[in-house]
Amino acid sequence: MIIWFGMGCLLAPGPLRAADHAPIVLDIPVLVAGYGSVFFEETAREFEALRPGVKVHLRGNPRINDQVRIRVMAGDYPDATDAVLLYPNLINAGRILDLVPYLDGPNWEGDARWRDTFLPGVLDRWCATPGENKTKGGIYGLPFAHAVWTIFYDKKRFRENGWEVPRTWDEFFALCDCIEAKGVAPVALPGVVMRYGDAFLRAAHYNLVGTDGYRAYNELAPGTRTDPRFIRAAEVTQRLTTRYLIKGWEGMTHTAAQLAFINGQAAMTVSASWFVNEMRGKLPAGFELGAMNFPVFPDGIADPATLQTQSAYYFLFATGDPARERAAVDFFRYLTSRTSARRFARTVDSPVALRAVVPADYSAAMRDTAELLSRSPGSFDAAPPASAAQLALINQAMTDARYRLMTGRITPQEFGQKLEAAAAAERARRADPDRVENNHGFATAGLLLALAGLAGWLGWSWTRMRGERSATPAPEHLGRLRGGFAAGFVGPALALFSALVILPGIVSFAWAFTRWDGLGAQTWAGLFNFKWLLLESDVFWFALKNNLYLMLVPALVVVPAALFFATLIHRGVWGAGVFRVVFLFPNMLGGIAATLLWMSAYAPHGGLVNTALAKLGLTGFDGFAWLSQGHLYGALIPIYLWMACGFNLVLYLAAMEGIPADFYEAAELEGASKARQFFTITLPLIREVLVISAVFLVIGGLNAFEMVWLLTSQDPASGSHTLSTLMVSTMFQEFQIGRATAIAVVMFVLVLTGSAAVMRALKREAVEM
């Protein structure tokens, strides 16, 4: 093994700590997505055998992004990760290791420079030139898995129908017309993950503007989104999505869209090369999977063979421990070795960003993609690096405009104008961070007046009740509890609650008055975050409206339904014992499991809901997209009813069983009907339980998160957000910690005020009765 000394000294076999020979433990969390984690875990074990002085704690998790973000915000950095973080800020802060000295050293085999083993251009994505990112220049991201975005098609079906792979967009749409004439949907696209459609927009746009124009677009250069070439790309995208997609596509998950293609319901689908690994075992025998590059314009300036790629980049953290950093680099040298790269291609059946892999290393299903890679002169990135300012535009404005474009609600010109306006707003905010536009002054005034009115009423009610208590002598048998004695009972629990809840809450409350991305220094912002939310943000008011919907509508449905079934069981309907278990069962699943179950039930094709409705003769629901953004909140009501009915039923039933039977017997002797007994005996005596359960539903509606988050594939449009999903998106996708905690403070005030008002009203009514 060759040992390189100097600035980029790499590792030789053997112990890495010559002084104490203490083992080095590397912490490497990786994202489990289309590739799984088995290959990486096996590679870690192989490396440990080659380097006895190193232990690699490599773990995969689908939720690794959120977990690593929280760690990084707390200053607990791993040795390396591929989690999505705010890497430009981390690079500026000197937290990410510059790989140039190591890349100029040898590869694992020692027969070439390490940088020369990668495909052309893949190291450029996270390459900072002098003056950029406030660094001295360097390479900070190390690519491995190299996904290629293509259009997948069934070769056998194409051959049998005489269809040719199109080269231009005109040929592509002509092909779609031919496919449609055969009674088949041309393309399956997942509407729940609508950003898959961006692949068409990116491909068409890059072909027209080339490398420089695409870079300017991603840097938010003025005019790039109203450029006629961008509008042409948007026209292509809208023409496809409004005319040639499978029925119900808006409610399809990416798996459902892929299965619709495999099952023959659609002739093509769009995905990255992880599609093959995800569908392993699902492709029917004899299915000939083909992959074509995206069509081009006759007047396009980019090479037609250029591919749209999305590499998985790993970032190595500067830990301050040279031996540990060298060990991490050495592990990734082994991961990118010829043996490991070719084994990844063979076992995972997915491209890698390394020259060592050849088309023969892939299965037949990946051969077309491999051939495209071998003929490609280069690639452009499907997900280029984004600064903190860009993230707000990319994560929200694009989500909203994309939905409207792809569903035909706006024209391509309006699409470009909306994105250009959002980009201009970001540039203006960058120049004047304290700038706030007054878009919702009247709504803000109304909300503040309502909260002030409730607070005033609570204060008056509390003062009045305190006066009534002071006028009423306390019972003689109750003495005053001494302070020391009371502290012995309450003190330990209060101290624990204060340490774990109250003090962190106070700290978080203080964050709401700062600007902070979770990585750099906090700066004082005063009331800016609250003013921006209340006065400027459209998304905040959409979210608040959706929360109001979930606070009221589910309660109006769940409470009567649970009351009805509780009454039947209380009256001894046949099978009452079984019904108790059946109605309570959904509560045993948990919110996430239940939501995923309903996501499957709401599938447009083959889903339980649409299949059942079609069997009942309601043909209009064939392919109905329940999970589309326009139908999402209506689809939540059956889920709420299914999940909340059982718990509330048990509450009501317990209250009913506490009513003395003598009341009903006396009513029967007086000739009262069952209905009259319900309204004059049952309902008044369980009123407090009914109202308390309604309060729980209202508070649950204000805190609604997991259902909306999962059903929108963690990417809600503005009109689909709740306050909770907006808070999580703001914190973990836009990295606006101060603004996210301001949303949390608003939620706290709304819950506290609403709950206090309801409980005070209930207490007052109870006293009067």
Side-chain angles (χ1 to χ4, degrees), residues 257-314:
Q258 292 169 356
L259 290 174
F261 161 66
I262 290 173
N263 295 332
Q265 295 170 287
M268 296 176 285
T269 190
V270 62
S271 183
S273 48
W274 56 66
F275 166 83
V276 177
N277 187 58
E278 289 180 335
M279 293 294 107
R280 182 175 296 181
K282 298 182 176 67
L283 293 175
F287 191 94
E288 298 179 32
L289 184 66
M292 68 176 83
N293 199 3
F294 290 89
V296 297
F297 292 98
D299 58 340
I301 65 174
D303 191 313
T306 302
L307 294 177
Q308 181 178 167
T309 60
Q310 184 174 337
S311 294
Y313 283 82
Y314 291 89

Side-chain angles (χ1 to χ4, degrees), residues 342-353:
R342 299 188 70 178
R343 185 164 58 87
F344 179 83
R346 290 168 179 164
T347 58
V348 183
D349 210 13
S350 183
V352 292

Side-chain angles (χ1 to χ4, degrees), residues 507-563:
V507 173
S508 299
F509 185 87
W511 288 355
F513 299 93
T514 65
R515 285 190 181 89
W516 186 36
D517 60 11
L519 304 173
Q522 289 179 309
T523 58
W524 179 254
L527 294 174
F528 169 79
N529 291 321
F530 294 98
K531 290 191 293 184
W532 188 89
L533 287 171
L534 295 172
L535 295 174
E536 181 173 340
S537 175
D538 296 329
V539 186
F540 172 82
W541 289 99
F542 280 128
L544 184 58
K545 180 190 70 174
N546 290 333
N547 276 113
L548 291 174
Y549 176 90
L550 294 178
M551 288 165 65
L552 300 176
V553 176
L556 294 176
V557 175
V558 171
V559 171
L563 185 60

Side-chain angles (χ1 to χ4, degrees), residues 61-72:
N61 192 310
R63 306 298 304 164
I64 209 69
N65 285 337
D66 296 336
Q67 295 172 7
V68 175
R69 286 168 187 165
I70 294 172
R71 285 184 55 184
V72 169

